[in-house]
Amino acid sequence: MSMLIDLRNERWFISSLERGLNVINAFSGAKPALSISEIAKLSGTSRASARRIAMTLEALGYLARSDGNQYFLTPKTLALGTAYLSSHGVGDALQPILRRLRDMSGRSASISVLDGEEIIYVARASASGPLRIHINIGQRLPAYATAMGRVLLAALPDQDFDVWLRNVRLEPFTELTITDPMKFRQIIETVRAQGYCVVEGELGPGIRVLAVPIISAQGTTVASLNLTTQSAFDRELDVVAEFLPEVRQAAMEISGVWNHLQVQNVRDMLEPGPG
């Protein structure tokens, strides 16, 4: 029988690190903004300790503060989960689904996560021939100019997105790149409403991408899935009408595998080691 051994009384245990992680975990979809008193209560620490931890996390860029002196998580906290994706074989487990989507559509399929102002590719099945676009696992691209990035940004709480938009530099990659903050905000609101995003020619000439969210069992967006083509070969193609149902179906399958991996890795952590 598996059991979790409490090691908090060991000499090497760093209690301040535990308290810092508890503060981060105090935030949720139901409680995206917290006062110091609320942080202290939800994290199980004193008010003075909660204040010091919150100020430290703010200085490090993991928390931000509203005018009303409430704290909220910044997109930088998403970087804490990036190592998990590469260290637990997530990409390998999702590869069969990506290959099926690629083979069905004849176009490249990829998965990415948000890391600050960029997306990181964590899995990919590339198309062959003239529709092939060279992207490598681990490659980073600016979130604002990509369909997957906009899907991931649309999933952020309003306060987190406001912070992100204030800090990012919207620089043009092509003449079509959206660089006006107000127009970009409107685009993100549209993505939120429709549940998918299409971007064409903003990162590179003629590149057209359809992206949808990958949603966890808890209802949160954990990653994004895309299908990529080139306008020169698909000039008359309506990618939404042609591929959206299949891409959404693949995203649902990926979500199921993703959630299974999370559960399995938690179980592995709880299993006692040899001896």
Side-chain angles (χ1 to χ4, degrees):
M1 180 178 177
S2 299
M3 61 182 296
L4 184 62
I5 301 173
D6 191 346
L7 299 176
R8 284 175 290 184
N9 291 324
E10 296 290 338
R11 292 177 59 188
W12 46 259
F13 190 85
I14 304 174
S15 298
S16 58
L17 176 58
E18 179 190 27
R19 290 194 294 271
L21 293 173
N22 286 342
V23 166
I24 291 175
N25 288 323
F27 295 85
S28 66
K31 294 280 189 178
L34 300 171
S35 66
I36 290 297
S37 297
E38 290 171 321
I39 291 174
K41 181 179 179 180
L42 292 171
S43 64
T45 189
S46 69
R47 182 184 173 90
S49 180
R51 182 181 297 278
R52 291 196 300 273
I53 293 170
M55 293 176 70
T56 299
L57 291 171
E58 182 182 15
L60 293 172
Y62 292 103
L63 291 184
R65 207 183 322 186
S66 68
D67 293 339
N69 250 358
Q70 284 192 313
Y71 286 88
F72 53 93
L73 298 176
T74 71
K76 187 175 181 180
T77 56
L78 295 170
L80 299 174
T82 301
Y84 167 85
L85 298 171
S86 58
S87 64
H88 287 84
V90 172
D92 292 340
L94 302 179
Q95 207 62 39
I97 303 172
L98 287 178
R99 285 197 290 265
R100 287 200 302 272
L101 181 59
R102 175 200 61 194
D103 294 343
M104 177 279 300
S105 65
R107 290 146 182 90
S108 297
S110 307
I111 299 172
S112 74
V113 295
L114 186 66
D115 184 15
E117 296 180 5
E118 300 172 314
I119 59 169
I120 304 175
Y121 280 75
V122 298
R124 180 168 171 82
S126 297
S128 58
L131 291 175
R132 179 179 176 86
I133 296 174
H134 294 281
I135 295 286
N136 298 318
I137 302 301
Q139 186 165 338
R140 292 170 175 265
L141 292 176
Y144 69 88
T146 65
M148 287 195 290
R150 292 178 184 181
V151 164
L152 294 166
L153 291 171
L156 293 177
D158 288 339
Q159 288 181 313
D160 290 3
F161 177 70
D162 289 344
V163 172
W164 187 95
L165 189 57
R166 283 200 301 269
N167 292 331
V168 72
R169 294 180 62 183
L170 302 178
E171 299 179 339
F173 287 90
T174 73
E175 61 182 10
L176 298 177
T177 308
I178 302 300
T179 58
D180 177 76
M182 291 301 295
K183 187 172 183 179
F184 187 79
R185 182 185 293 276
Q186 292 172 357
I187 289 173
I188 295 300
E189 291 173 355
T190 299
V191 174
R192 283 176 178 166
Q194 65 190 16
Y196 67 88
C197 180
V198 176
V199 171
E200 180 172 358
E202 293 194 43
L203 186 63
I207 299 176
R208 183 191 299 167
V209 183
L210 167 66
V212 301
I214 297 169
I215 300 173
S216 71
Q218 294 73 37
T220 59
T221 295
V222 293
S224 181
L225 168 68
N226 84 357
L227 205 64
T228 304
T229 187
Q230 298 186 50
S231 304
F233 299 98
D234 285 329
R235 190 169 288 107
E236 304 301 324
L237 180 70
D238 183 339
V239 293
V240 174
E242 186 73 19
F243 295 127
L244 182 59
E246 287 80 5
V247 175
R248 280 180 164 164
Q249 177 61 37
M252 289 178 61
E253 295 178 32
I254 290 167
S255 178
V257 174
W258 196 295
N259 293 326
H260 172 75
L261 286 171
Q262 286 185 314
V263 171
Q264 186 59 52
N265 281 311
V266 170
R267 287 175 178 169
D268 291 345
M269 291 170 63
L270 297 181
E271 288 291 340

